[in-house]
Amino acid sequence: MTTNAMIGIGITFSVNTGDSPDTWQVLGEVFNLSPPNAQVDDIDATHYASPDRTREFIAGLTDLGEMSVEMNYIPGSETDNYLLAWRSAGTNRLCRIVYPTSPNLQDTFQAYVKGYEPNLPLDDKLTATLTLKVAGAVTRALAA
């Protein structure tokens, strides 16, 4: 059996600018993404007659948590300026990850900037990490 494994080349991450429904800012020089990671809350449903004195649990609400985007940091670039303005605005925006599958799939979700942290080493490339708080459900569909 042959593998269906893939590498990440060709993945894009973009954010809707809000100027119109189809205006997206593709973040430049992204090299690592950690997509939203859904975690379901545990609700303790233990009661006085729980069998064998054992705690019982039910599934609670889903929290999609945070995601991170690592990129080459270019001070003053279009991406840098966009992310600084988005962080200052403090607004939710529609985000999109497009996967290089055939046909292309995309995940879309609302998020806001939780952090934008440049890393400025002496003897290596400049990088930045964007941390987003996912603020709604993730929808997977064919890419437009």
Side-chain angles (χ1 to χ4, degrees):
M1 175 187 269
T2 59
T3 183
N4 291 317
M6 302 172 60
I7 61 173
I9 197 80
I11 291 174
T12 60
F13 182 78
S14 53
V15 182
N16 191 284
T17 63
D19 296 333
S20 75
D22 295 324
T23 305
W24 294 85
Q25 173 71 42
V26 177
L27 300 191
E29 302 207 27
V30 171
F31 61 83
N32 195 29
L33 284 178
S34 294
N37 179 18
Q39 298 289 316
V40 178
D41 290 335
D42 299 321
I43 306 296
D44 189 335
T46 308
H47 52 88
Y48 291 133
S50 288
D52 299 322
R53 296 179 45 181
T54 302
R55 291 197 179 277
E56 297 180 78
F57 293 91
I58 59 173
L61 298 177
T62 301
D63 183 347
L64 290 169
E66 298 176 0
M67 73 164 292
S68 63
V69 181
E70 294 178 78
M71 64 195 82
N72 292 328
Y73 179 59
I74 302 160
S77 68
E78 187 176 351
T79 294
D80 182 46
N81 292 335
Y82 179 80
L83 293 176
L84 291 171
W86 182 19
R87 183 181 64 187
S88 292
T91 57
N92 287 354
R93 297 206 178 155
L94 190 61
C95 298
R96 174 172 71 188
I97 301 169
V98 178
Y99 299 93
T101 54
S102 181
N104 291 60
L105 293 175
Q106 69 181 21
D107 290 341
T108 55
F109 51 91
Q110 292 284 331
Y112 61 86
V113 175
K114 189 158 182 174
Y116 178 51
E117 180 181 2
N119 183 24
L120 312 174
L122 174 66
D123 61 349
D124 202 354
K125 67 180 180 178
L126 304 182
T127 62
T129 301
L130 171 67
T131 304
L132 300 175
K133 175 61 180 168
V134 180
V138 175
T139 302
R140 177 161 287 174
L142 292 176

